[in-house]
Each structure stands twice: as C-alpha cells, then as structure tokens.
Amino acid sequence: MANKVDTSASSSYYALLITVLVFVIVGTCCAEERSVYLVLMEEEPVAFHGSHLSHEGRKVLALDRYYYCCFPVLNILQICPRLLGQGRGCRFLGLNSFSSIGADQDMYFCMDSEVSKAHAKHLVDSHDQLLQSNLETGSYNKLYSFKHIVNGFSVHTTPSQANKLKVAPGVKLVEKDRGAKLMTTYTPQFLGLPQEVWAKEGGNKNGGEGIVIGFVDTGITPEHPSFTYDPLNPFTSNISHFSGACETGPRFPSSSCNGKIVSARYFSAGAQAIATLNTSVDFLSPFDAAGHGSHVASIAAGNAGVPVMMDGFYYGRASGMAPRARIAVYKAVYPTVGTITDVVAAIDQATMDGVDILTLSVGPDEPPEDTITFLSVFDIFMLFARRAGVFVAQAAGNHGPDFSTVVSYSPWAVGVAACSTDRSYPGSLLLGNGLKVGGVGLSGPTFGDGKFLCKLVLAKDAVRVNGAFPRTPAYVEECQYPEALDPVIVRGRIVICVFSAGFYNGTSNINAIIDTARTLGFMGFAFVANPAYGDFIAEPIPFAVSGIIIPKVVDAQIISQYYEQNIQRDERGFVIQYCARAAIREGRVASFVGQAPIVSRFSSRGPDFVDSNRNPADVLKPDILAPGHQIWAAWSPLSALEPILTGYHFALLSGTSMATPHTVGIAALIKQYNPSWTPSMIASAISTTATKYDNYGEVILAEGSYLNSYYPSTHFDRGAGLVNPARAIDPGLVLPAEFEDHINFLCSLPGIDWSVINAATGERCTRSLSHPANLNLPSVTISTLRNSLTVKRSLKNVDSRPETYTCSVISPNGTMVNLSPTWFRIAPQEIQDIEIQFRVIQAGGEFSFGEIVLTGSLNHIVRLPLSVLPISTS
C-alpha cells in the first residue's frame, strides 16, 4: 500500500514537473522580443524653451544657434558673465540678419546658462518618471534622453510596453527604430574649386576656415594625413561658437583631437541594446574601424594636397572641398549594426555643440510605415537642427535607377544625388592576336609592363581531375578555392575566372579570386562575364596581383573565341596544349575623357513621396547632384566591412555617401564667404546656381538599368543639377524658408490631421499654405495639377548692388506657365515676390519638366526647376 501511494505521489510529482517545464518552454518561446523605440514628449527642449514666438504673433526666428534669449543689452551680463569673460558660450545675434522683435532689445543666446542646465535636468527627470510610472520594473532599459533640440528619449523594451507609452500622459509620438545604413583626388578640379572659389577665400590654405562640420557616421581615423594638424600652418579663426568634447577609448587617445579634429564623441547605447558587439571592430570610441566615416570626412574637409599611395603606386593628391574647415566627429554606426536612436542622439548632441553644418551619409534606408515621411523621428530631428541654424545635407540613397526610391524626403534637408566625373581608370587585356579587350581594375601590368605575353588558361581547364571537392561553379569556374586548381597548370599564367552562380547569388567574391591567385602564383587573372548571366557592373578596386574585370558578355566572347582557337583538346575534352597568350596592361593610370557628369545608376531617383505607398509629394527630391562615383578619399586600414581594402589608407568608392560631403564642403565655403546666411539661403544658393548641362553642353545624362544604357536626366534624377560652387557663393537672389514656413507647409498637406503635426513637432497649425507647392523652395513641384494653380515665390537680393532681372520660363509639357512680373528691379536686401501661374493644356499620366530662368543685369542667373503632373484641364 505504501509503495502504491509512493508511486501515485511520484507520478503526480512528475506530471506537475512536466506541466511546469511545458509552461516555461511555451512562455519562453512566446516571450516578446525587445526592440528599440523612440519617444517624443510634449515639453519644449532646451534649445527652444520659452521660445514660442509664433504663438504670440511674432515670427519664430531661425537663429545661428540653438538656445537663445531676448534681453536688453545691459542685462545680458547678468545672464552669463562667466561665459562672456571666457569669450565663449554666448553669441551676439545682430538684428541685421533677423526680424526685429523690439526696438530696445538685441538678441543673444546662452548655450551653457544655469537656466538651460536646470531645464535639461527637468526633462531627463520627467523621462525617468514617465517610464517608472507606466512600465513594469525590469521590462525596459532607457538608452538616451534627448533634450537639446527635441524632447524625448529612446528605450529598449517590448511591443506591449511600447503600446503603454503611446497612451501615457505627455507622450506625443512613439516610433520603432528602423535601423541605420551607410549610403555608400580629382573632384575639386572637376568642380572648379582651386581656380575660382578657393582663390576668393585666399587659396586652399583658407578654404572653410572658421567653419565646423559635424559628421554623423562610423567615426574617424585620427592619424590619417587628411586629418593631421600642421603646426606650421595654424588655424587663425575663432570657433568660440562651438563647444565639443574629446571622448577617448580604444585606438582613440586624447591627442586625437588635434585642432583639425576639434571634437569626437561616440553613441552606442542603441547598438549595444540590439546586438552583441564585436570587440575587435566595434570599438567603443570615436575610432573608425569601417572606413566610411573617414572617407566622408576627408571629402568634405580633408587637408589639401595629401598624396594618395596604394600598393606603392602614386595616384595623385587628394583635397577636401573645404580643407581648412574643422571636423567634429559623432560616431553612431558600427560595423556590426547601426540604429536610428544612436544617429538621432548624435544629431541632438552635434546641434548642442554648435556645428555649422551636419553631414548625414547614414540614415534609415526605407520609409516609415506608420506615419508620413516628413514626420518620422529622423526627419523631425533634422527639422529642429535646421531650426537651430544648422545646414543639414543628407544622402539621397542608393536604390536607383528606379523611380521614387529616394530616402531623403523633407524640404528642410538637402538631398544629394550622385554622378560621375570625367575621370576613369581604363584597363585592357592584350590578346596574342593583337586585339585589346577593355575592362577595369586598379592593377599593375603583368610581366614586362604588360608587353610580354603569358599563357592564358581557363580556370575550368585547370581543375584538378581527382580533387576531393564539389564540382560547383565556385570551385570549377569562379577561382574561389585554390585547392580546386592544378598549381602546375596555373602558376605563371593568366587565368580566366568566369562570373557564375556564386557571384550571381552573392556567395562568391573578388577577394577570394585574389587570394587564389596569390596562393597559386598566377601571373594575373581575368574575371569575365558569362553569357548565361549577362553583363554585370564593375567598379575599379585595387588588386594586390595583376588582374582585370571584363563585365561585358560581348568582350568575354572575344576572349573565349580566341582562347578556343589557340588550344588543343584530346578526345575527352581535356586541354593538352595551351597556345593562347595574353598580357594585362596598366590599369592604374587615370583617363580624363568622355561625357560628364552622368547621374550614377545607383543614385536614388524621385519623385519624392509622402508615405509608404509612395504617393508623390510637392517637394523636389533629390535637391542637387554632386560627384559620388569613384571618389578617392581617406580610409581605415582595418576596413572591417570591406576585406579587399584591408591595409589601405585610401579607397576609391562610389555612393550618395560620397556625393553628400562634396555638397557639405561647398556649403562650408558659402558659409565662410557669407557668414550671416541662414541654412535656407545656403540651400537656395546651391540649387539656383546649379547647371543641368554636361561638359559637352548637352543635358546631363543618367544611367539606366542596363550596362551602357543612358537617357536625358530630369529633375527627379539630378535635382536642380550639378552643384556649381563658383556661382553658389554669389547667387544674386536667394529664397528663404524658415521653421514657421515648414510648419505651415506640413499643415497644408492634403488630408493631414493637424493633431499629428502638433504631436510630432509641438507646433499648432495656426496657419497653412494655400497649397503645399507654396513653400518658398528654390523649385516648384506640383504632384497633382488640375486645371490651374498659382503659386508664389519670394526672392531676396543678397548682392550689395541693385539689379534688374528679366523673367523667362520653359513650360513643362502639357502646361502653360505665366510669370508676374516679367521683370523687376530689386535693391540690396529687398524682397521681390513673383507669381507663377500653371494651367493644364493637355492632361497626361506622367510628370513633365521645365524651368524658370531669372537673368540679372549684373550677370546673375537664377534657375528654378519645375516638375508638374498635369492631371486634367478642368
């Protein structure tokens, strides 16, 4: 009986244990996965605390910096005497650049006042209190408090806890972090900088002097010669408006902030929350292990005349667009992962530090799902950085050439498209019959300076017959594994490796070909196209051995035909005699010929859109075109994301990431030449002076989907056109558009819920534009034109002389455009309004393009791109 009871008890025990285990396992499997969420709050951030001037009937002023106060002149010493005594921390804002707000008042801001500090502490405390009172203990981890230009925080928590935050008091917006991606010399001469713009600034020794450019990216390589400080050429400018910090850590000692690099910070809370970082590359310091941040920073502000050496070959000298600008580093993307929360934390800090210009070659790579594009958290941070007086440039994205692929949406950030220059690096394979086949590859020639012909071997014919490996393309055709090839056959030969399934599905790579070539002692290699897969796109990259890429099928077939005619095979098909000969010629010497610029295939295209359904917006994107194809710049020898570039200090890269810092550097030169200009004035000058013509005098071409396919570009490919720095520093007229105008634009969007705008921006829709196209941009985009529409543009004369302008227009197809007035005379600093009437004369289903041209009597030419979709005549 006792045994029976024991058995029963034992059975009950095990049944209970199994139930508990099942419950635990099911609970574990069903447990919510945490994500990072960005939360915006109702109270004003430090920068704009107590500054709701628009609600009092006064204009919100877009000041040169972020925290400002309005006091009588005599009282400012009572606010921050310590900072004034140090000559830093406060800036006098003269009323010559802004609207007066009182006859007895001047304007100051105090970025480090006790009032600011107290409000910042209050905001952080309110974030903590909100989380503690609404979320379960242990269910979250706060990552950042945003307090300078936006009030909010980011938190690592579960979806159910995030839903609680959405209904918590004081919360305006909750958005899931979408992740951040990288939007991955000669260009100064191509853009005319040394001869024209630098000359006006006193030569390259002064270009960008006094301007601080912030880079939100993967960090910087401080010891690179592009970023070193030259004590024989000290900086003479006063940058007391800027106050950064030098955060140290692995590979980044305090000496890294050397005067050229004036500040360096890193932001990692988001990255650490969602991934296990690799300590060998994800350094918790501003050091750049990837190379991308160094590349971007050196394009915009790298030192002038830095020698570019790779594999012992001298490629020339590299210079930044604004070589005397200072660099402020904000590392927010890591080789393992990137998050929006780290990026916006960096934007918040950079604006607080006082950067003049902000470079964003990183960001979300897709539109938000649950809000309009203009009101994502990322775009809101850019809006408030712009409100604080920071010029913001953003990569347009690398999803071209399909339409509506831009990832730069908002009118308050300049979206930059990428193009080629007239420089290329042509290579060639010389065959034994005298034919030359063109290709690419930054490679030295084979033996005898490429004049001595070596035996040519197809990899497929050199496969080890009895080798114990799979007969897949990677082994047989693509030269990925040295053990697959007979070393006796390939040593000292030029081996033909063929593009096949491995390259098509992304599992094979050029780096493996190079490793195979070095291991087995190839004289060189030729990587050729495969008729089964068609042409492919090839970019010149450095090869440690002689090599060439042949991306066209027609050229590959020439090589194949010659090869088959000059070998002998036995009855089994094995080669018994190799008589084909070839040589790889020099591929590192630049050629400066051909039509340029050409919009790069990868560069994302417009039209801009307002939501994830890609409904078009009344905003032109991209804004501007700049060189972004095959750009030499600084690199990190660790090269954590690009093994083929490991050990190199320079890299030749392409992407809108490379185009953006070109525009940023030019903006720095404009700011230096016109220090009182606001960001919108700089953006306007860049746009209205751009050119739509190439070096042949033809409309700039754009690359299509296929190799060697081109079409005449439109505004949705090139924006206003190729940036022209020589004209941009002296544009004649500019079109200002400030914070209040952007709010009015948002309030005028069709079908928009004004409460959504208030939740996202903290601003009420007290006014709206009669049509979104009435935002005072240096372009006009109308996504739906029915019958007729009249819009207005306001132009300000920034020249020191009066000037007379005549107005002309090229109407978009299907429309008639009339201007009023048709001419005007404008005094210095005066504003002139023009009315632009559009009328549909033939409806169509596609956008058509035109432009307004204002020609001044002092040789200023102002161009406004027109992009219109004429829907109906009634």
Side-chain angles (χ1 to χ4, degrees):
M1 189 72 167
N3 289 338
K4 190 174 182 179
V5 170
D6 291 342
T7 303
S8 175
S10 177
S11 300
S12 300
Y13 169 77
Y14 284 115
L16 178 62
L17 180 61
I18 290 169
T19 302
V20 170
L21 288 173
V22 169
F23 178 80
V24 170
I25 292 169
V26 171
T28 302
C29 293
C30 298
E32 289 185 291
E33 186 175 344
R34 291 192 181 196
S35 297
V36 173
Y37 294 87
L38 299 113
V39 182
L40 301 190
M41 302 288 291
E42 285 182 351
E43 276 194 84
E44 286 291 330
V46 172
F48 312 111
H49 180 48
S51 65
H52 276 292
L53 301 181
S54 58
H55 300 337
E56 299 170 7
R58 292 181 290 182
K59 183 181 174 83
V60 173
L61 304 178
L63 302 182
D64 272 5
R65 203 50 62 220
Y66 32 80
Y67 181 70
Y68 59 88
C69 344
C70 299
F71 298 102
V73 173
L74 295 178
N75 289 346
I76 189 66
L77 292 177
Q78 299 173 17
I79 304 300
C80 47
R82 174 180 61 84
L83 299 173
L84 281 176
Q86 293 179 350
R88 61 182 296 277
C90 292
R91 174 183 287 178
F92 169 69
L93 302 175
L95 296 181
N96 59 324
S97 301
F98 308 98
S99 302
S100 177
I101 62 168
D104 60 343
Q105 292 179 321
D106 281 328
M107 300 191 67
Y108 294 82
F109 75 93
C110 310
M111 69 181 184
D112 197 26
S113 70
E114 294 304 318
V115 174
S116 307
K117 291 178 179 178
H119 187 61
K121 183 178 184 304
H122 162 71
L123 294 180
V124 173
D125 291 344
S126 70
H127 303 160
D128 294 336
Q129 291 168 10
L130 178 89
L131 288 165
Q132 292 166 10
S133 60
N134 288 276
L135 302 190
E136 298 169 11
T137 302
S139 68
Y140 68 89
N141 177 30
K142 191 185 81 168
L143 305 179
Y144 296 104
S145 275
F146 310 123
K147 52 189 179 293
H148 304 307
I149 58 172
V150 171
N151 174 22
F153 58 87
S154 61
V155 61
H156 190 224
T157 191
T158 62
S160 61
Q161 297 297 303
N163 288 334
K164 292 181 181 180
L165 289 175
K166 291 179 181 179
V167 296
V171 171
K172 299 191 302 184
L173 176 67
V174 177
E175 180 181 304
K176 186 177 179 180
D177 193 310
R178 289 172 284 149
K181 300 286 182 66
L182 307 177
M183 309 295 172
T184 245
T185 236
Y186 164 68
T187 43
Q189 282 74 19
F190 183 76
L191 293 172
L193 285 171
Q195 296 85 355
E196 299 172 68
V197 180
W198 282 353
K200 293 185 179 182
E201 308 293 354
N204 60 25
K205 291 184 177 180
N206 293 316
E209 185 79 44
I211 305 300
V212 179
I213 304 176
F215 297 91
V216 178
D217 216 291
T218 63
I220 199 164
T221 311
E223 68 275 10
H224 196 282
S226 291
F227 311 123
T228 55
Y229 172 71
D230 182 3
L232 299 179
N233 185 23
F235 292 100
T236 59
S237 55
N238 181 355
I239 58 167
S240 60
H241 66 280
F242 179 81
S243 178
C246 193
E247 297 180 358
T248 59
R251 297 185 180 235
F252 207 89
S254 58
S255 59
S256 300
C257 297
N258 55 14
K260 174 67 174 177
I261 301 172
V262 293
S263 180
R265 301 178 187 267
Y266 68 96
F267 301 82
S268 63
Q272 290 181 286
I274 67 170
T276 301
L277 299 187
N278 181 349
T279 56
S280 65
V281 291
D282 295 316
F283 300 115
L284 297 183
S285 78
F287 181 80
D288 180 16
H292 188 272
S294 301
H295 203 273
V296 168
S298 66
I299 293 170
N303 291 327
V306 177
V308 178
M309 296 285 295
M310 293 184 70
D311 292 324
F313 188 84
Y314 174 68
Y315 285 91
R317 294 182 179 272
S319 296
M321 298 293 103
R324 292 291 286 177
R326 315 291 185 92
I327 292 171
V329 178
Y330 300 88
K331 179 177 176 178
V333 178
Y334 293 79
T336 295
V337 70
T339 66
I340 291 300
T341 192
D342 288 333
V343 170
V344 297
I347 294 172
D348 193 45
Q349 185 64 56
T351 308
M352 191 269 185
D353 286 346
V355 299
D356 298 291
I357 296 170
L358 197 55
T359 314
L360 295 172
S361 287
V362 303
D365 208 28
E366 56 189 17
E369 294 181 358
D370 52 358
T371 186
I372 65 172
T373 52
F374 306 133
L375 294 181
S376 73
V377 169
F378 183 69
D379 283 74
I380 291 169
F381 270 82
M382 291 192 292
L383 171 64
F384 283 97
R386 174 74 170 260
R387 181 188 184 185
V390 178
F391 176 90
V392 181
Q394 180 188 13
N398 296 337
H399 297 294
D402 292 340
F403 294 119
S404 282
T405 51
V406 289
V407 295
S408 172
Y409 314 112
S410 297
W412 44 83
V414 174
V416 187
C419 66
S420 64
T421 68
D422 60 351
R423 181 190 63 193
S424 62
Y425 288 93
S428 64
L429 181 70
L430 176 64
L431 301 178
N433 60 4
L435 288 177
K436 280 186 182 179
V437 180
V440 296
L442 294 178
S443 160
T446 48
F447 182 75
D449 200 24
K451 297 173 183 175
F452 180 82
L453 298 178
C454 312
K455 283 189 177 181
L456 192 63
V457 176
L458 181 66
K460 200 171 185 178
D461 290 332
V463 173
R464 302 176 74 165
V465 177
N466 299 319
F469 51 84
R471 262 47 181 180
T472 61
Y475 285 85
V476 175
E477 297 180 272
E478 297 179 335
C479 305
Q480 298 294 291
Y481 299 97
E483 62 269 26
L485 302 178
D486 187 334
V488 175
I489 297 176
V490 298
R491 185 176 292 115
R493 313 284 173 85
I494 295 175
V495 180
I496 302 171
C497 310
V498 180
F499 184 107
S500 194
F503 280 95
Y504 184 78
N505 62 33
T507 58
S508 297
N509 59 77
I510 287 286
N511 210 42
I513 296 180
I514 295 172
D515 289 343
T516 299
R518 298 174 75 172
T519 300
L520 297 180
F522 292 6
M523 177 62 72
F525 70 87
F527 177 53
V528 304
N530 186 336
Y533 293 94
D535 298 344
F536 64 90
I537 298 166
E539 294 289 338
I541 51 179
F543 299 150
V545 297
S546 293
I548 187 168
I549 301 175
I550 313 289
K552 297 181 185 178
V553 168
V554 64
D555 292 331
Q557 289 173 329
I558 292 172
I559 298 169
S560 178
Q561 184 179 13
Y562 166 74
Y563 176 77
E564 290 297 335
Q565 290 173 348
N566 289 274
I567 60 171
Q568 292 185 22
R569 298 183 185 273
D570 62 18
E571 64 278 3
R572 298 172 300 169
F574 295 138
V575 177
I576 56 176
Q577 190 171 3
Y578 296 92
C579 298
R581 300 286 191 274
I584 297 172
R585 309 301 294 268
E586 176 65 69
R588 299 170 295 184
V589 177
S591 173
F592 300 92
V593 295
Q595 212 162 347
I598 296 174
V599 180
S600 300
R601 179 180 292 103
F602 59 77
S603 186
S604 289
R605 309 308 209 252
D608 191 12
F609 51 93
V610 297
D611 54 34
S612 57
N613 294 323
R614 283 175 164 71
N615 291 307
D618 298 294
V619 174
L620 177 61
K621 291 291 175 180
D623 294 271
I624 198 70
L625 183 68
H629 186 232
Q630 298 182 14
I631 304 300
W632 281 115
W635 194 246
S636 170
L638 287 186
S639 194
L641 298 176
E642 298 288 347
I644 199 168
L645 296 174
T646 300
Y648 291 119
H649 293 273
F650 292 91
L652 187 73
L653 300 184
S654 299
T656 52
S657 277
M658 285 68 248
T660 303
H662 279 91
T663 303
V664 160
I666 291 165
L669 297 175
I670 297 170
K671 180 73 173 177
Q672 179 189 10
Y673 195 70
N674 304 282
S676 65
W677 284 14
T678 64
S680 67
M681 297 167 74
I682 296 172
S684 171
I686 288 172
S687 176
T688 61
T689 58
T691 179
K692 65 178 182 179
Y693 299 107
D694 63 22
N695 57 352
Y696 284 21
E698 304 290 338
V699 171
I700 293 171
L701 295 176
E703 288 186 311
S705 298
Y706 300 102
L707 202 62
N708 296 316
S709 64
Y710 305 94
Y711 60 90
S713 67
T714 71
H715 301 316
F716 292 160
D717 304 303
R718 66 175 187 265
L722 179 68
V723 61
N724 185 340
R727 299 188 70 93
I729 63 170
D730 181 24
L733 302 173
V734 296
L735 292 86
E738 307 307 343
F739 178 75
E740 186 179 48
D741 303 309
H742 291 132
I743 296 299
N744 294 339
F745 159 78
L746 292 171
C747 296
S748 69
L749 294 174
I752 191 70
D753 183 344
W754 285 4
S755 66
V756 172
I757 296 170
N758 176 246
T761 68
E763 301 293 323
R764 299 186 183 279
C765 288
T766 56
R767 289 180 55 198
S768 67
L769 307 175
S770 59
H771 188 279
N774 270 309
L775 179 61
N776 201 41
L777 296 174
S779 60
V780 181
T781 304
I782 303 174
S783 60
T784 304
L785 179 61
R786 291 184 172 87
N787 190 12
S788 65
L789 177 69
T790 299
V791 300
K792 186 183 77 171
R793 288 296 182 266
S794 298
L795 302 115
K796 180 177 182 178
N797 183 5
V798 291
D799 199 88
S800 60
R801 302 160 292 175
E803 190 165 6
T804 300
Y805 284 86
T806 57
C807 311
S808 60
V809 63
I810 301 173
S811 298
N813 291 339
T815 71
M816 180 175 290
V817 181
N818 293 308
L819 305 177
S820 178
T822 56
W823 69 275
F824 57 88
R825 182 171 176 80
I826 185 169
Q829 303 303 307
E830 191 174 67
I831 300 287
Q832 172 68 49
D833 292 342
I834 61 171
E835 288 191 343
I836 310 165
Q837 184 188 55
F838 295 85
R839 184 164 61 86
V840 178
I841 57 176
Q842 183 177 351
E846 296 182 348
F847 276 91
S848 56
F849 306 93
E851 67 176 344
I852 295 170
V853 181
L854 309 177
T855 306
S857 56
L858 299 177
N859 296 322
H860 293 115
I861 298 175
V862 178
R863 299 179 184 275
L864 306 181
L866 306 178
S867 309
V868 180
L869 180 57
I871 295 296
S872 67
T873 56
S874 59

